[in-house]
Amino acid sequence: METAGRLVEDESLRDALKENGIGRPSTRAAIIETLLKRNYITKKGGKGKTLIATPTGCELIDLIQNDLLKSAELTGQWERKLRQIERHEYEAQTFINELKQMVTDVVKEVLSRPYTPNPTT
């Protein structure tokens, strides 16, 4: 989560992620614990510092068809806009409206797809 910015091609978005990575240090532990509890990730390695997606986590990732939602670039875009808001270069309400529209669009997209139950569940 701390080094996710290195995967982003856009230099300005990568710079936005350099300072904090994905999430805030104060929230990362809780996010990781939630992902572990839900069996989306597991710890590997000598000290358990390496996190890998479980089959359940991979299945969830595959279900999300919008590539932007799965990318660190979206977080980079948000971080850049939040910094612009801090400098009074971007309106907070505009950012909130964009988020609301994005959520609406994603929900519409998901609801428009036909439901196909997983035969293994």
Side-chain angles (χ1 to χ4, degrees), residues 22-114:
I22 293 178
R24 295 280 181 249
S26 59
T27 61
R28 283 191 192 120
I31 292 168
I32 290 169
E33 286 306 312
T34 299
L35 294 172
L36 286 166
K37 276 193 247 176
R38 293 180 181 172
N39 195 35
Y40 294 143
I41 61 172
T42 188
K43 291 181 179 182
K44 292 284 183 191
K47 295 184 179 182
K49 290 193 173 208
T50 301
L51 302 172
I52 62 165
T54 64
T56 301
C58 290
E59 196 172 314
L60 176 63
I61 292 166
D62 289 342
L63 285 172
I64 300 169
Q65 295 184 356
N66 185 317
D67 288 337
L68 184 60
L69 289 179
K70 298 187 281 188
S71 74
E73 289 182 36
L74 181 60
T75 302
Q77 291 172 5
W78 290 350
E79 288 292 338
R80 179 174 54 200
K81 288 181 180 183
L82 289 170
R83 288 203 182 98
Q84 290 172 332
I85 290 167
E86 288 174 350
R87 295 188 306 260
H88 304 287
E89 298 170 356
Y90 200 78
E91 290 294 323
Q93 191 59 53
T94 301
F95 181 62
I96 291 168
N97 292 340
E98 290 171 355
L99 291 176
K100 286 179 181 179
Q101 186 61 54
M102 186 186 105
V103 170
T104 298
D105 293 345
V106 168
V107 169
K108 284 179 182 177
E109 177 187 327
V110 170
L111 291 175
S112 71
R113 284 186 277 160

